[in-house]
Structure formats: structure tokens, C-alpha cells
């Protein structure tokens, strides 16, 4: 049973979605930074996909060199503030901190990172100078973490950069797809404005690149094109009843929630299908939006869920109930969702099989499909010579991120199939260097 009442105002919404990693004050930051042992070959740094020099930025906080600390962070990761909040630090830097080997709480690296990056943003600290113009122009499709990171690095290298964004605001899933208790819209957008002021790239909003003619225009106007389009809508389960009212994809629900806040209405009795990190977010959010009962249904065993353990714990802590070894057969209802018909499963000789005659119906008034996102194949197929792998991910060179069409580069979810913000930020930056090598 969920403990949250449906929020009826922005204030109640903020209370239900209070930040799980709140901002540190000066004293907390000083004490926490004093705990760092400044390890040689720091395992925390090695665990960070962007390789931030973590002991250095913590030491700089401890010696009150806040500008130097922010520069250390942003030199490695342009999403320094967002990543401090949305990264799964529990399994990355903090998970690798030497303190964990002694069963002691790790240094709170993510919150220290936020402490100093928030200061830099609020004070509009100028950390970088853009490179001398080389007269070359690059187009970027998509203003998510990969696209923005690629743009920042290209500007440092002296390129003119235009970003084409289908939506009305930047940052991709960081603002549209992350649970609001991890980061607020305002925080995400403040960092985006900070970067744009500092790096001076242009973002053309409400400018989707959809057709062959759009691509041809870019090919004529720009020396190289970077694809940072992420993933598409939630994949279909291909079962009956998916088009009923109140059956929605998890990413679509999270996007609506981030746009509508307390005005979004969720069901009283919600079933989430899936057990990845997005499923956990959608389940937690439903509970925080006042759903009385939230069940998370997964076809495999509890031990085989794809979500990080701490994400499952977060969901359980707000009253989400896990139902395992159940496979959905049909979503029941006339016009509107009334339940899900499941069949039980079991593992037999390493194979997951359905248990004959074990069908049952779980009543509910909302179904959230957290079954992965589709690839944006329609656009990609229009790019001449662009190779996709068997999972429809864009094939790229592992070092340069160049695709099989020499003029196009790509990184982020459209290449890796769906990883963290930090992976997209790291790869987008690396791709900018690949573009520079190609154009030099
Ligand atoms: Fe500091 Fe922990 Fe990193 Fe060592 S592993 S440098 S103690 S944060």
C-alpha cells in the first residue's frame, strides 16, 4: 500500500517527489570532502565513464578552490551537475570507493559534485574559452547528453555548431525521462543554459529531422553530422488490449509527469510490466502520484531483474509490490484497462517456461509498459550507407564514433541501445574528437 496522497498542488508534488540526493550545505561539504583518502589510482575515478579526477575535485572542495573543482568536473563531463544527481553512483564511483571494502559508507561523491557544480551554475562561472574558429560547421541531431556534450567539445575545438532538436527544450531524457525525485526540471535546464552561454552553440528547437530532404539539406550545409537521437517510443508487447485507455508506455508516462506535475492523473491500482530501471522509476512515480496499489510484474524470477538493487529498494520503500514469474497474456477491459491476464512461469533446464493452466487475472485500472524503447529506424534507414547492427543500433568505430557513412558520427542510446546519461555524455565528447580528426 502506497503512503502518498495524490498531490493537488505544485507544493504537494514537490513534497512527494523530494530529492533523494539533496544539496549539501557548506559544512556538510567540508566534512564529507575531509573523508576522502585521495587514493592513488583512485578506483572511484576508474569506475566513472567520463573519468573525472574525483580525488582532485574533492581535494579542491576541501581547500575551498571551488572554481578549480568545478573546472576539474566539467573538463571531463559537461553534464557534471546532472550526472551528480542521476548517475547510479551506488554502482559506479561510490560503489568503487575503498570505504565500501571495509563496510563503511562511501564518500558521497555525487552530492559533492552537485555542491560545487551548482555553485558554478548559480554564479555563472566562466570555466572555458571556446576555440579559435576554424570556419567549419557541424550539425547535431538531438540535444540530449550525447549531442550537447559533442557540441561543447566541438566548440572548444573551434567548430560552429547547430543543434536540431525535435522538442521545445534541451537535454533529452535528462529532463523528459528521469524520475523527478532524482533531479528537477529547473536544475536540468539551468545547467543547459549555463553550457549554452559558455559554449555558444545554437539550438534550433521544434526542428525535427525526419525526411531524406532534411538530411540532404544538412549534408549540403555542414561538413559533418552527429546523430544523437536516442531511442524512440516504448516497444509494443504485441498482446491484446495494448491500445486500451490507461495503458501507457513508461517513458511516455515519465515525460507526461515531468511536463504536467500534479495535474497528471494516474490509476488507483497500477500494474507495471517489466523490471528494469525505467520500470522501477515508473512504479515509484505512480506511488508518489497517489496510486493506492502498485504492482510490478516480471516474467522472470526476482533474482533475475535487470534493475539495480538500489532502484528496486527505492520502489519497495514507497510501497511497490513485486510479482515475479508471471508473463502477461492480455490486457483486459472494454474501452479502459480493467486488469491483466497473466500466466505463471518457472525455470526448467535453464529455460523460462509457462506453467500450463496457471492463468489468472490481476485487476487494475492502469497498465504501464516498461518493456524497452524502440529504435528510430525510419530516420536511420534514410541515411545512405548507414549500417545498423542486428538490434538496429547504429554501428560505429569504437574510437572515433564514425559510422559507415563517413560524414555521419553517432553516440548515445542510438548506438549503445540505452545506457546512462553519463555514458552518452562521455561518448558524445569522444565523438567530437573523432569528427575533428576526420575534418582536420
Ligand atoms: Fe576518495 Fe573513495 Fe575515491 Fe578513495 S575511492 S579517492 S576515498 S572517493
Amino acid at each position: 500500500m502506497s503512503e502518498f496522497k495524490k498531490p493537488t498542488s505544485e507544493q504537494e508534488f514537490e513534497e512527494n517527489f523530494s530529492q533523494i540526493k539533496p544539496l549539501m550545505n557548506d559544512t556538510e561539504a567540508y566534512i564529507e570532502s575531509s573523508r576522502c583518502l585521495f587514493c592513488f589510482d583512485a578506483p572511484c575515478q576508474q569506475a566513472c565513464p567520463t573519468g573525472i579526477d574525483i580525488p582532485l575535485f574533492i581535494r579542491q572542495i576541501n581547500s575551498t578552490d571551488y572554481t578549480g573543482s568545478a573546472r576539474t568536473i566539467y573538463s571531463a563531463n559537461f553534464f557534471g551537475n546532472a550526472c551528480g544527481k542521476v548517475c547510479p553512483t551506488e554502482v559506479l564511483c561510490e560503489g568503487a570507493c575503498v570505504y565500501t571494502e571495509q563496510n563503511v559508507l562511501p564518500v558521497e561523491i555525487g552530492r559533492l559534485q552537485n555542491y560545487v557544480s551548482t555553485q558554478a551554475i548559480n554564479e555563472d562561472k566562466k570555466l572555458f574559452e571556446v576555440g579559435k574558429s576554424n570556419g567549419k560547421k557541424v550539425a547535431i541531431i538531438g540535444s540530449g547528453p550525447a549531442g550537447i556534450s559533442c557540441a561543447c567539445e566541438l566548440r572548444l575545438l573551434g567548430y560552429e555548431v547547430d543543434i536540431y532538436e525535435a522538442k521545445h527544450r534541451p537535454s533529452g531524457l535528462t529532463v523528459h525521462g528521469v524520475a523527478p525525485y532524482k533531479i528537477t526540471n529547473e536544475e536540468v535546464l539551468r545547467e543547459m543554459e549555463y553550457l549554452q552561454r559558455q559554449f555558444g552553440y545554437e539550438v534550433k528547437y521544434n526542428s525535427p529531422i525526419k525526411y531524406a530532404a532534411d538530411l540532404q539539406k544538412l549534408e549540403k550545409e555542414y561538413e559533418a553530422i552527429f546523430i544523437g537521437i536516442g531511442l524512440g517510443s516504448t516497444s509494443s508487447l504485441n498482446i491484446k488490449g495494448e491500445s486500451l485507455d490507461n495503458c501507457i508506455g513508461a517513458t511516455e508516462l515519465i515525460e507526461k509527469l515531468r511536463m504536467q506535475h500534479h495535474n497528471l492523473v494516474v490509476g488507483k491500482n497500477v500494474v507495471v510490466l517489466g523490471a528494469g530501471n525505467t520500470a522501477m522509476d515508473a512504479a515509484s512515480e505512480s506511488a508518489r502520484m497517489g496510486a493506492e496499489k502498485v504492482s510490478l510484474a516480471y516474467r522472470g524470477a526476482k533474482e533475475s531483474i535487470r534493475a539495480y538493487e538500489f532502484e528496486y529498494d527505492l520502489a519497495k520503500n514507497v510501497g511497490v509490490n513485486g510479482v515475479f514469474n508471471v508473463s502477461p497474456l492480455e490486457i483486459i477491459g472494454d474501452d479502459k484497462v480493467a486488469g491483466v491476464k497473466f500466466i505463471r512461469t518457472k525455470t526448467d533446464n535453464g529455460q523460462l517456461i509457462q506453467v500450463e493452466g496457471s492463468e489468472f487475472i490481476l485487476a487494475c485500472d492502469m497498465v504501464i509498459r516498461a518493456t524497452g524503447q524502440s529504435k528510430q529506424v525510419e530516420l536511420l534507414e534514410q541515411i545512405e550507407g548507414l549500417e545498423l547492427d542486428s538490434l538496429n543500433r547504429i554501428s560505429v568505430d569504437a574510437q572515433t564514433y564514425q559510422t559507415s557513412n563517413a560524414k555521419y558520427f553517432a553516440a548515445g542510446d542510438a548506438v549503445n541501445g540505452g545506457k546512462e546519461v553519463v555514458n552518452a555524455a562521455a561518448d558524445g565528447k569522444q565523438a567530437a574528437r573523432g569528427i575533428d580528426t576526420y575534418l582536420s
Side-chain angles (χ1 to χ4, degrees), residues 60 67 93 166 217:
Q60 287 167 319
T67 304
C93 53
K217 192 163 176 284

Side-chain angles (χ1 to χ4, degrees), residues 313-357:
D313 288 343
L314 265 178
K316 277 193 303 188
N317 289 343
V318 292
V320 173
N321 180 39
V323 187
F324 299 99
N325 282 113
V326 293
S327 181
L329 294 175
E330 180 183 345
I331 297 167
I332 311 280
D334 291 331
D335 300 321
K336 213 174 159 199
V337 166
V340 182
K341 184 177 183 183
F342 287 101
I343 186 164
R344 295 195 189 279
T345 66
K346 65 175 182 181
T347 305
D348 190 19
N349 270 336
Q351 297 279 329
L352 199 64
I353 58 165
Q354 297 183 341
V355 180
E356 213 176 303

Side-chain angles (χ1 to χ4, degrees), residues 59 82 87 104 129 133 176 179 235 316 375 378 386 389 437:
R59 194 181 311 134
C87 262
V104 175
E129 291 293 339
S133 173
H176 292 110
S235 305
K316 277 193 303 188
K375 315 290 187 312
E378 265 180 39
L386 189 83
D389 69 9
T437 306

Side-chain angles (χ1 to χ4, degrees), residues 35-39 42-45 54-55 58 96-99 107 109:
R35 291 184 62 223
C36 180
L37 303 169
F38 311 122
C39 309
C44 54
Q45 180 176 354
I54 293 168
I58 294 179
C97 177
V98 290
Y99 277 118
V107 175
I109 301 167

Side-chain angles (χ1 to χ4, degrees), residues 198-261:
Q198 195 135 167
F199 291 96
Y201 48 79
E202 189 175 334
V203 190
K204 299 172 189 291
Y205 294 109
N206 303 308
S207 303
I209 300 296
K210 277 181 162 175
Y211 307 110
D214 300 331
L215 293 163
Q216 284 157 11
K217 192 163 176 284
L218 296 187
E219 288 168 16
K220 261 194 207 143
E221 285 179 26
Y222 299 89
E223 270 90 0
I225 301 161
F226 174 80
I227 311 168
I229 56 175
L231 298 172
S233 52
T234 303
S235 305
S236 168
L237 277 164
N238 292 322
I239 59 174
K240 203 173 151 200
E242 280 186 82
S243 57
L244 290 172
D245 273 1
N246 261 16
C247 176
I248 185 168
T251 41
E252 290 75 13
L253 176 94
I254 296 171
E255 181 165 0
K256 271 188 167 185
L257 179 72
R258 296 212 61 134
M259 305 276 277
Q260 300 175 14
H261 283 190

Side-chain angles (χ1 to χ4, degrees), residues 32-99:
E32 193 61 17
S33 62
S34 305
R35 291 184 62 223
C36 180
L37 303 169
F38 311 122
C39 309
F40 178 70
D41 277 349
C44 54
Q45 180 176 354
Q46 291 172 33
C48 172
T50 60
I52 297 177
D53 191 337
I54 293 168
L56 175 61
F57 96 70
I58 294 179
R59 194 181 311 134
Q60 287 167 319
I61 292 177
N62 199 248
S63 60
T64 68
D65 177 10
Y66 301 126
T67 304
S69 181
R71 189 173 287 115
T72 303
I73 293 166
Y74 278 103
S75 302
N77 182 353
F78 296 116
F79 276 61
N81 191 56
C83 282
K85 293 208 106 177
V86 310
C87 262
T89 53
E90 293 82 348
V91 294
L92 293 176
C93 53
E94 292 175 19
C97 177
V98 290
Y99 277 118

